[in-house]
Amino acid sequence: MIAMIFQLTKNIPNILSSIRIIITIPFIFSLYDLILGTGSIISLLLFSIIIISDILDGYLARKLNFVSAFGANLDIFVRYFLFIFIYNYFMLFECCSNLVFIHCYF
């Protein structure tokens, strides 16, 4: 029983990253609702959850010493997944220039 709880605790950072992937999909659709003016609160809420889970994921992985190669790669994948879709959204609807994303990302 204790070993099972420890194993579940060890996977919490990876679970948070997986949840971020799931939340990113509705976030992307809520961005398209911004055109209609109906998705701004939902977009803000989902983006806040994504950012908080990203911060919490990294903090827990380092604090509890549950850093793994899989977790690090999953975190990077989720982050790129999110930013690629946000970038494509803004470029598709010409909401901002390429220079803003280049400056913010690097």
Side-chain angles (χ1 to χ4, degrees):
M1 180 72 176
I2 303 277
M4 190 170 82
I5 293 172
F6 178 74
Q7 188 65 27
L8 179 64
T9 305
K10 188 174 181 179
N11 288 324
I12 286 176
N14 293 340
I15 291 169
L16 285 172
S17 291
S18 301
I19 290 171
R20 261 198 334 261
I21 291 174
I22 295 168
I23 294 175
T24 298
I25 295 167
F27 171 70
I28 293 164
F29 287 113
S30 72
L31 284 177
Y32 290 108
D33 287 342
L34 283 175
I35 299 169
L36 304 173
T38 59
S40 59
I41 302 257
I42 295 170
S43 298
L44 180 63
L45 177 68
L46 291 174
F47 189 69
S48 298
I49 292 171
I50 290 169
I51 296 301
I52 290 169
S53 68
D54 188 24
I55 293 168
L56 191 60
D57 164 32
Y59 175 77
L60 288 175
R62 285 188 292 278
K63 184 77 172 174
L64 301 175
N65 200 21
F66 293 145
V67 179
S68 66
F70 173 76
N73 290 331
L74 180 65
D75 195 44
I76 291 169
F77 170 76
V78 173
R79 203 170 287 143
Y80 279 127
F81 182 73
L82 174 68
F83 284 113
I84 285 171
F85 278 108
I86 291 174
Y87 176 80
N88 286 333
Y89 169 79
F90 283 116
M91 292 303 111
L92 179 66
F93 296 107
E94 299 175 357
C95 295
C96 72
S97 70
N98 287 330
L99 295 176
V100 173
F101 278 97
I102 292 171
H103 175 72
C104 293
Y105 195 71
F106 294 104

